[in-house]
């Protein structure tokens, strides 16, 4: 009976150890290695998906810049948007973010007082342009400068450092689609997503209101067209990654919501990202070059008058000099077979020793009982 019990217990232990070893054999593990990143002249693909609950699409601009001096204003390549109602319902179909769409003047004749000539229908992209010379309303750099479109008037004002908050008296802006879209989309939200390709150096990209431009060494956003409107940057980051994902990768900002704790979030949301170059090699020896990142958040509330703090969502990223190399590996079948044999042999050996000990002890006790040494 003791031998039978030991056999049953040994069999159960053997099965449990076998299942444990099988689980380890079927499980893929990964090894992490650290090294200095020696890559040069590389690019980083930034994938983003953000919803701005209270900022219309026509109010937003997307800019990217880095410490190498490369600057991209009003990015619209591989960037898409969808207008949202106040309750978050999509209003129109998905469309590509096209900055030029609101820079075109509606096809209509410009008032003859601009130049004393009829408006021409030529021009690139079919935009109607005045054939004469329109007034810049005192913002000319030199005598004879012409401003035939609303954008040219705005540019002349920016060069002078003047604010063009009211365009009602600007005849070139009578059919400006940008001004019309600002009024039409007031109170809406915007869902923007897409991809950016940036240099592998420190930099930032940001979503901010108004057209952006470079004035000397300063990066400026023209928020004068919005007047006294409250620009609330409540937002949800559905996805933000610096490269393609690998199995088990976690991006800390996926699903993050900002500005929900306050009734109005007027100010600058800042995300400081530390990007770590990463390579992932799977079992088939395919290597994926991507990036992980950590994040620190900050919010600068708008103080005092307008213009002190530019409202928006800013992502500042910096590159780590250390590269992480992740390599997948699993146990070989020969190793699994060796482990199974070791389990079987070990359990048989131990169970044999226990069985011999129990059997010998039982016989000794039985003999002593027969000799009357136990009462």
């Amino acid at each position: 009976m003791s031998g039978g019990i030991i056999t049953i217990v040994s069999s159960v232990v053997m099965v449990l150890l076998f299942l444990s070893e099988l689980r380890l054999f079927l499980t893929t593990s990964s090894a992490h290695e650290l090294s200095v990143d020696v890559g040069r002249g590389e690019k980083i693909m930034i994938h983003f998906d953000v919803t701005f609950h209270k900022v219309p699409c026509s109010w937003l601009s997307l800019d990217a810049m880095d410490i190498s001096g490369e600057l991209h204003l009003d990015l619209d390549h591989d960037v898409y948007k969808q207008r949202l109602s106040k309750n978050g319902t999509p209003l129109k179909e998905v469309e590509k973010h096209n900055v030029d769409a609101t820079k075109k003047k509606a096809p209509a004749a410009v008032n003859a007082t601009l130049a004393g000539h009829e408006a021409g229908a030529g021009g690139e992209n079919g935009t109607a342009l005045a054939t004469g010379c329109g007034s810049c309303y005192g913002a000319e750099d030199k005598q004879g400068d012409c401003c035939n479109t609303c954008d040219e008037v705005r540019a002349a004002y920016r060069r002078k450092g003047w604010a063009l908050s009211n365009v009602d008296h600007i005849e070139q802006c009578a059919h400006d689609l940008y001004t019309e879209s600002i009024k039409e989309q007031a109170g809406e939200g915007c869902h923007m997503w897409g991809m950016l390709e940036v240099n592998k150096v420190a930099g930032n990209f940001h979503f901010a209101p108004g057209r952006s431009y470079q004035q000397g060494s300063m990066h400026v956003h023209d928020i004068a067209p919005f007047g006294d409107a409250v620009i609330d940057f409540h937002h949800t980051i559905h996805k933000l990654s610096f490269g393609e994902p690998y199995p088990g990768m976690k991006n800390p900002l996926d699903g993050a919501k900002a500005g929900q704790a306050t009734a109005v979030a007027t100010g600058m949301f800042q995300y400081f990202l530390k990007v770590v170059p990463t390579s992932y090699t799977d079992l088939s020896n395919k290597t994926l070059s991507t990036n992980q990142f950590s994040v620190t958040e900050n919010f600068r509330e708008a103080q005092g008058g307008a213009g002190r703090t530019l409202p928006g969502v800013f992502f500042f990223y910096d590159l780590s000099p250390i590269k992480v190399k992740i390599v997948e590996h699993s146990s070989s079948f020969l190793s699994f077979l060796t482990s199974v044999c070791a389990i079987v042999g070990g359990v048989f050996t131990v169970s044999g020793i226990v069985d011999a000990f129990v059997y010998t002890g039982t016989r000794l006790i039985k003999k002593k009982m027969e000799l009357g040494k136990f009462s």
Side-chain angles (χ1 to χ4, degrees):
M1 182 169 25
S2 63
I5 294 173
I6 292 173
T7 300
I8 293 173
V9 171
S10 300
S11 300
V12 172
V13 171
M14 191 183 305
V15 170
L16 293 176
L17 291 175
F18 172 78
L19 292 176
S20 176
E21 189 64 30
L22 179 63
R23 181 178 61 83
L24 291 176
F25 171 69
L26 297 176
T27 301
T28 300
S29 58
S30 58
H32 292 67
E33 301 177 6
L34 299 179
S35 61
V36 176
D37 184 18
V38 295
R40 297 189 304 172
E42 299 176 2
K43 297 285 187 177
I44 296 179
M45 308 301 295
I46 302 176
H47 302 269
F48 66 90
D49 187 348
V50 186
T51 293
F52 301 94
H53 303 286
K54 299 184 179 181
V55 183
C57 289
S58 64
W59 295 28
L60 285 168
S61 64
L62 171 60
D63 303 331
M65 57 193 71
D66 58 48
I67 60 174
S68 70
E70 189 164 325
L71 176 66
H72 299 280
L73 303 180
D74 284 338
L75 286 166
D76 57 10
H77 182 64
D78 291 328
V79 178
Y80 300 86
K81 63 182 180 181
Q82 187 171 38
R83 292 169 56 184
L84 305 174
S85 65
K86 290 183 179 180
N87 58 7
T89 305
L91 292 176
K92 291 189 175 183
E93 296 182 356
V94 175
E95 57 182 291
K96 191 171 183 179
H97 180 50
N98 184 5
V99 176
D100 291 330
T102 55
K103 289 185 178 181
K104 297 176 183 178
K105 187 173 58 177
V110 180
N111 196 297
T113 57
L114 292 177
H117 297 282
E118 292 183 354
E124 188 177 359
N125 298 324
T127 304
L129 300 174
T131 58
C133 181
S135 172
C136 294
Y137 300 87
E140 299 88 350
D141 289 330
K142 61 182 181 297
Q143 188 176 3
D145 284 350
C146 301
C147 295
N148 292 328
T149 66
C150 189
D151 276 321
E152 290 177 358
V153 176
R154 292 181 188 277
Y157 267 64
R158 287 197 296 264
R159 288 194 296 270
K160 289 288 186 180
W162 301 348
L164 186 61
S165 56
N166 185 7
V167 297
D168 293 339
H169 67 287
I170 307 297
E171 296 187 60
Q172 292 93 323
C173 297
H175 302 286
D176 182 49
L177 298 183
Y178 179 52
T179 304
E180 294 175 5
S181 64
I182 289 177
K183 296 177 181 178
E184 177 191 353
Q185 299 183 22
E188 295 182 2
C190 185
H191 179 202
M192 290 186 68
W193 68 96
M195 179 183 66
L196 305 176
E197 185 180 60
V198 298
N199 295 322
K200 195 176 178 180
V201 294
N204 80 81
F205 65 97
H206 56 268
F207 302 87
R211 297 264 176 81
S212 58
Y213 58 96
Q214 198 73 8
Q215 189 171 33
S217 60
M218 295 184 62
H219 178 69
V220 183
H221 282 259
D222 182 13
I223 61 175
F226 310 119
D228 297 328
V230 176
I231 306 177
D232 187 344
F233 265 91
H234 278 103
H235 63 277
T236 299
I237 303 174
H238 305 288
K239 175 185 178 181
L240 180 66
S241 64
F242 286 76
E244 298 296 329
Y246 61 82
M249 182 178 181
K250 293 183 179 180
N251 296 310
L253 284 178
D254 287 359
K257 297 182 179 180
Q260 306 298 323
T262 58
V264 178
T266 302
M268 180 185 294
F269 290 89
Q270 298 172 314
Y271 297 93
F272 299 94
L273 314 175
K274 194 69 173 181
V275 181
V276 182
T278 304
S279 67
Y280 186 87
T281 304
D282 59 18
L283 293 175
S284 60
N285 208 30
K286 293 182 179 179
T287 300
L288 171 67
S289 295
T290 183
N291 300 275
Q292 305 177 76
F293 69 92
S294 60
V295 61
T296 302
E297 303 177 24
N298 184 49
F299 175 66
R300 291 176 56 190
E301 188 175 355
Q303 301 290 336
R308 288 195 177 183
T309 301
L310 176 67
V313 180
F314 290 72
F315 297 91
F316 302 91
Y317 56 89
D318 192 10
L319 276 297
S320 171
I322 302 300
K323 183 175 184 178
V324 177
K325 184 178 181 181
I326 304 174
V327 181
E328 275 189 348
H329 62 82
S330 61
S331 301
S332 64
F333 180 75
L334 184 60
S335 175
F336 169 70
L337 189 60
T338 302
S339 298
V340 170
C341 292
I343 289 172
V344 174
V347 171
F348 267 111
T349 301
V350 173
S351 61
I353 294 173
V354 173
D355 182 60
F357 175 77
V358 172
Y359 178 75
T360 303
T362 304
R363 298 243 355 227
L364 288 175
I365 293 172
K366 187 176 180 181
K367 282 186 177 182
K368 288 184 179 183
M369 291 180 66
E370 291 176 353
L371 293 174
K373 291 188 176 182
F374 290 100
S375 57

